[in-house]
Amino acid sequence: MLKDLVEVIAKSLVDNPDQVRVSEIHGEQSVIIELKVAPEDMGKVIGKQGRIARAIRTVVRAAANKDNKRVIVEILQ
């Protein structure tokens, strides 16, 4: 569910939605979501001073809060 949320948000932000890749790694108490986009779309996903990246993390954290899981969103290059 969280993976899908990140994917929908990222695809709506970038110019190359077909190059958006999201993977989910489950730990005991946390979930790591890795987001990979085309190099030319990195700025669109991160935003000025990281504002968009911070907003994505906030939305995902809020969605995960009901499952009492810790979520980490990593944007990979």
Side-chain angles (χ1 to χ4, degrees):
M1 177 197 128
L2 297 173
K3 176 183 169 186
D4 299 333
L5 177 63
V6 172
E7 192 171 347
V8 168
I9 293 170
K11 283 185 176 184
S12 67
L13 292 171
V14 299
D15 289 334
N16 303 307
D18 54 315
Q19 292 189 29
V20 172
R21 301 283 176 259
V22 181
S23 58
E24 208 171 42
I25 302 166
H26 291 274
E28 283 185 30
Q29 295 178 354
S30 64
V31 178
I32 299 172
I33 298 176
E34 295 179 337
L35 171 63
K36 191 170 175 77
V37 297
E40 60 270 15
D41 288 330
M42 283 301 280
K44 291 184 173 91
V45 172
I46 295 172
K48 287 186 180 171
Q49 297 177 343
R51 285 189 181 138
I52 294 175
R54 205 170 317 122
I56 292 171
R57 289 182 176 113
T58 301
V59 168
V60 172
R61 226 178 269 130
N65 206 12
K66 30 182 191 180
D67 298 338
N68 290 329
K69 282 236 177 196
R70 191 164 161 252
V71 177
I72 301 162
V73 177
E74 292 183 354
I75 299 171
L76 305 177
Q77 290 194 0

